Amino acid sequence: DGCVFCNDQHTRQIQLNDQPLNLTPTEYELFELLLQAKNGVVSRKELGARFNLKALEFHIKNIRVKIGDDTKNPRFLKSIYGVGYQLNL
């Protein structure tokens, strides 16, 4: 259907260019939340209400690796300094 990241909520599976991503349940929930924001920024406060903030950076890094994003200069999953994270579609 032309989406870069496709989400099947029934199987809890996200695909990148028709290839399934091997995400943990926490990574899936985090990624789904970022997908729902549709290029908007999800604040650390909002993420902190649902995820352990100390583990958040670890999960973000793991997701970047799994989607083939550069962890130092990410194209898709960007950190917005002092605000939160943004998934660029």
Side-chain angles (χ1 to χ4, degrees), residues 9-73:
Q9 293 178 320
H10 298 291
T11 61
R12 295 182 56 88
Q13 180 69 61
I14 293 176
Q15 294 187 347
L16 168 60
N17 297 322
D18 298 322
Q19 297 297 317
L21 296 175
N22 186 22
L23 301 175
T24 67
T26 300
E27 290 167 353
Y28 173 83
E29 287 182 42
L30 176 56
F31 201 91
E32 183 182 44
L33 188 63
L34 293 164
L35 266 175
Q36 290 171 354
K38 300 189 187 320
N39 293 319
V41 177
V42 181
S43 73
R44 286 183 61 82
K45 182 177 180 182
E46 183 178 350
L47 293 171
R50 295 185 60 177
F51 304 98
N52 178 333
L53 280 177
K54 290 183 180 184
L56 183 62
E57 308 242 345
F58 172 79
H59 293 303
I60 293 288
K61 180 178 169 270
N62 284 345
I63 291 170
R64 284 181 176 141
V65 169
K66 291 177 180 184
I67 65 175
D69 220 354
D70 183 343
T71 56
K72 299 292 183 201
N73 187 22

